[in-house]
Amino acid sequence: QVLLVESGGGLVQAGGSLRLSCAASGRTFSIYRMGWFRQAPGKERDLVAAINWSSIYTYYANSVKGRATISRDNAKDTVYLQMNSLSPEDTAVYYCAAASSPTLSYDYWGQGTQVTVSS
């Protein structure tokens, strides 16, 4: 099992920045890839960014490309999502997820952290 705990959400003004953290514990050696998803009210949960646990591969959704940076600290078993130039459209619950294989599915999920961007 892998336990994921997100932190760093909150209320921020449009144009501001936020850094989300996801601390992993448990069988972290089994993690192949980490991802950040978000779900706005009435919308589906979408992948925002992803990073391989043992390489420098990263993925960004078009909606955040150029404004977001995903990074990891293997020594702390923590993944970060830095978001800049935030807009109200970024308002959502942000979830951290971990995949234990190269497939597209994610096996473990955090509880989510609310990000609210005011205009």
Side-chain angles (χ1 to χ4, degrees):
Q1 282 285 61
V2 174
L3 178 64
L4 304 174
V5 179
E6 303 102 331
S7 61
L11 176 64
V12 63
Q13 288 188 335
S17 299
L18 209 61
R19 188 177 82 155
L20 304 179
S21 301
C22 175
S25 60
R27 297 170 59 90
T28 58
F29 60 86
S30 67
I31 296 175
Y32 180 83
R33 181 179 67 253
M34 297 284 291
W36 282 98
F37 290 74
R38 69 184 182 186
Q39 186 168 23
K43 295 188 177 181
E44 295 184 352
R45 186 176 300 187
D46 293 323
L47 178 63
V48 175
I51 187 168
N52 269 21
W53 199 243
S54 58
S55 71
I56 59 173
Y57 166 80
T58 56
Y59 162 85
Y60 296 97
N62 287 335
S63 58
V64 302
K65 198 170 291 183
R67 301 189 297 121
T69 302
I70 188 170
S71 61
R72 72 200 191 287
D73 184 336
N74 287 351
K76 296 182 179 179
D77 286 336
T78 300
V79 172
Y80 305 96
L81 181 67
Q82 175 72 39
M83 293 277 292
N84 302 320
S85 302
L86 289 164
S87 72
E89 289 68 36
D90 295 312
T91 295
V93 178
Y94 284 71
Y95 296 91
C96 175
S100 58
S101 71
T103 66
L104 294 177
S105 63
Y106 286 79
D107 309 290
Y108 306 100
W109 293 84
Q111 80 287 355
T113 185
Q114 176 70 46
V115 172
T116 302
V117 183
S118 63
S119 57

